[in-house]
């Protein structure tokens, strides 16, 4: 079974600064996806970024980028130029690359961006 | 941009009552899911649905739960006899599947069982 671990329950960052959220996972499979989802106070789940495990290049979406280390089974999220609207819970998630296997979520990291 | 729609946004019910949570997935998506999140905890998988049948379910998804896609557009989750511990945010999600997998979530239904 796959597991996802987020070791930082809470983090804070000053506005305009950079913050990195950690995620590690455990799987014996080699083909999978990794995701970061953002959950603001409205509790909606918003996809931030996705990484295919077969791609060596780290995914980037504007101010969001990942550091994917497949051998170490690590998938951290870097948020650059943090904005107040980035305040949210961030969930790391894993999905096997085979049909409709379910997402497995970590417990989340609560990020507070401070003005 | 297309989105997954869930109704109602909040549902309050008495213990033992039946509830139906409704979802309209994105129209060309093929895979459908229900997840739940008890307050302060992580998001947990309940069930996945493909080709008009359940393809996978978790231990949480016991005989009290059922899913249905009655008319090709709606995707419902029914809880037959609600328990206090069913109180949670329930998320519907849909995806195209294949090698471009990306799940889109609805904004959730907050279920409160009293």
């Amino acid at each position: 079974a796959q597991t996802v671990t987020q070791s930082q329950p809470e983090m804070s960052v000053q506005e305009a600064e950079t913050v990195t959220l950690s995620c590690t996972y455990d799987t014996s499979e080699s083909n999978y996806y990794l995701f970061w989802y953002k959950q603001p106070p409205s509790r909606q789940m918003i996809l931030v970024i996705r990484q295919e495990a077969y791609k060596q290049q780290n995914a980037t979406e504007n101010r969001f980028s990942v550091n994917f280390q497949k051998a170490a089974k690590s998938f951290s999220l870097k948020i650059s130029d943090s904005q107040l609207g980035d305040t949210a819970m961030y969930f790391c998630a894993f999905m096997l690359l085979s049909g409709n296997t379910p997402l497995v979520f970590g417990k989340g990291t609560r990020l507070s961006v401070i003005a | 941009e297309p989105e997954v729609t869930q109704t109602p946004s909040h549902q309050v019910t008495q213990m033992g009552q039946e509830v139906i949570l409704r979802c309209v997935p994105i129209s060309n998506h093929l895979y459908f899911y229900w997840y739940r999140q008890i307050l302060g905890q992580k998001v947990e998988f309940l069930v996945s649905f493909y080709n008009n049948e359940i393809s996978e379910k978790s231990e949480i998804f016991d005989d009290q739960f059922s899913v249905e896609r009655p008319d090709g557009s709606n995707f419902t989750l029914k809880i037959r006899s609600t328990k206090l511990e069913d109180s949670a945010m329930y998320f519907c999600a849909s995806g195209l599947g294949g090698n471009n997998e990306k799940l889109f979530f609805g904004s959730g239904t907050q279920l409160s069982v009293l």
Side-chain angles (χ1 to χ4, degrees):
Chain A
Q2 287 73 36
T3 59
V4 176
T5 302
Q6 293 179 250
S7 58
Q8 305 151 313
E10 293 188 29
M11 294 191 72
S12 61
V13 63
Q14 291 287 334
E15 196 175 8
E17 297 293 308
T18 295
V19 65
T20 299
L21 309 183
S22 301
C23 173
T24 58
Y25 59 94
D26 189 26
T27 183
S28 57
E29 303 289 336
S30 57
N31 295 316
Y32 49 86
Y33 297 99
L34 294 161
F35 305 84
W36 279 97
Y37 280 88
K38 170 185 177 181
Q39 187 180 45
S42 64
R43 296 190 74 184
Q44 186 170 4
M45 294 290 285
I46 302 166
L47 178 64
V48 174
I49 199 165
R50 181 188 69 170
Q51 174 81 42
E52 293 92 338
Y54 60 86
K55 289 187 178 178
Q56 291 188 334
Q57 186 172 8
N58 289 323
T60 299
E61 289 285 344
N62 301 314
R63 297 183 295 107
F64 299 87
S65 61
V66 298
N67 184 4
F68 173 48
Q69 302 289 328
K70 190 171 184 178
K73 296 179 182 174
S74 169
F75 182 62
S76 60
L77 174 70
K78 184 170 84 171
I79 306 174
S80 304
D81 185 26
S82 297
Q83 300 175 359
L84 296 177
D86 296 334
T87 293
M89 281 290 284
Y90 286 82
F91 291 98
C92 179
F94 173 101
M95 175 190 280
L96 288 174
L97 183 76
S98 58
N100 62 333
T101 57
L103 277 171
V104 177
F105 286 86
K107 290 187 176 182
T109 295
R110 183 175 302 281
L111 176 68
S112 299
V113 180
I114 303 165
Chain B
E1 185 172 301
E3 59 182 27
V4 176
T5 305
Q6 288 187 245
T7 55
S9 56
H10 291 86
Q11 175 88 46
V12 180
T13 190
Q14 294 289 328
M15 189 170 58
Q17 295 296 304
E18 174 185 286
V19 294
I20 297 176
L21 309 183
R22 302 183 190 279
C23 170
V24 179
I26 294 172
S27 60
N28 62 337
H29 284 186
L30 302 175
Y31 298 91
F32 314 107
Y33 307 80
W34 284 100
Y35 289 81
R36 80 171 185 190
Q37 185 186 29
I38 295 171
L39 186 63
Q41 299 187 23
K42 69 176 178 180
V43 180
E44 301 172 293
F45 168 73
L46 292 178
V47 65
S48 58
F49 193 86
Y50 170 72
N51 200 26
N52 288 319
E53 60 183 20
I54 291 173
S55 47
E56 192 166 347
K57 58 183 180 180
S58 71
E59 292 176 352
I60 303 168
F61 194 87
D62 62 22
D63 291 345
Q64 294 299 313
F65 291 87
S66 62
V67 290
E68 202 175 36
R69 190 160 158 78
D71 55 11
S73 62
N74 291 286
F75 179 51
T76 61
L77 174 69
K78 182 193 290 186
I79 309 174
R80 288 190 185 83
S81 178
T82 50
K83 303 188 285 285
L84 295 177
E85 53 266 38
D86 293 328
S87 295
M89 178 74 94
Y90 287 81
F91 291 102
C92 174
S94 70
L96 271 170
N99 291 331
N100 191 30
E101 189 51 82
K102 191 184 293 187
L103 281 192
F104 292 84
F105 282 80
S107 53
T109 293
Q110 177 64 54
L111 176 65
S112 299
V113 182
L114 306 178

